[in-house]
């Protein structure tokens, strides 16, 4: 019995240490893109000079970059830190963003709350939840 338990524990540890078993997809680079027609069936952690979502992320998006653009769909929540955060697509959950400039474009939709701190913030799209903005303009 003790040998079986020990063997099972070793198997669990080995499987947990294998690459690709992380809780979220991760992408880094100069420009990180989820292209039109592309679907990430998981959470996505993206770090790059520019992060662009034109396709679909079925989970949450955690993005850091000089520019973060969401023109596609994020079904979960978005946490973004960027010089420029531009949302022109659909976010199913909440958005927490910090940036020099934060824009929710006309036609964009956020299904939850928008919480942001920015040098300037513009909201022309639809926010289904509450909005908290700390901005100079």
């Amino acid at each position: 019995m003790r040998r079986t338990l020990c063997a099972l524990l070793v198997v669990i540890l080995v499987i947990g240490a294998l690459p690709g078993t992380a809780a979220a997809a991760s992408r880094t680079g100069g420009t990180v893109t989820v292209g039109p027609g592309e679907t990430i069936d998981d959470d996505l952690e993206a770090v790059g000079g520019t992060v662009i979502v034109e396709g679909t992320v079925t989970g949450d998006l955690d993005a850091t970059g000089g520019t973060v653009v969401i023109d596609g769909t994020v079904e979960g929540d978005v946490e973004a830190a960027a010089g420029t955060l531009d949302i022109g697509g659909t976010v199913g959950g909440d958005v927490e963003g910090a940036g020099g400039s934060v824009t929710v474009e006309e036609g964009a939709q956020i299904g939850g709350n928008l919480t942001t701190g920015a040098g300037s913030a513009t909201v022309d799209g639809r926010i289904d939840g509450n909005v908290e903005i700390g901005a100079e303009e």
Side-chain angles (χ1 to χ4, degrees):
M1 176 73 167
R2 181 176 258 181
R3 278 185 129 174
T4 304
L5 233 61
C6 193
L8 182 59
L9 181 60
V10 168
V11 168
I12 290 171
L13 290 173
V14 168
I15 290 173
L18 292 175
T21 59
S26 179
R27 293 188 181 181
T28 62
T31 299
V32 176
T33 303
V34 178
E38 182 180 3
T39 299
I40 305 293
D41 285 318
D42 203 347
D43 296 340
L44 175 62
E45 295 176 3
V47 178
T50 302
V51 176
I52 302 169
V53 176
E54 296 174 312
T56 301
V57 176
T58 61
D60 297 336
L61 172 66
D62 186 354
T64 304
T67 301
V68 174
V69 177
I70 301 170
D71 282 337
T73 300
V74 176
E75 295 179 1
D77 297 330
V78 171
E79 289 186 14
T84 300
L85 171 59
D86 186 13
I87 300 172
T90 301
V91 177
D94 297 331
V95 173
E96 293 184 14
S101 171
V102 175
T103 303
V104 180
E105 297 179 4
E106 185 175 344
Q109 179 178 341
I110 297 174
N113 300 324
L114 170 64
T115 305
T116 186
S120 68
T122 304
V123 178
D124 290 327
R126 185 175 118 193
I127 314 295
D128 291 342
N130 297 318
V131 177
E132 293 181 39
I133 297 176
E136 292 178 10
E137 296 180 30

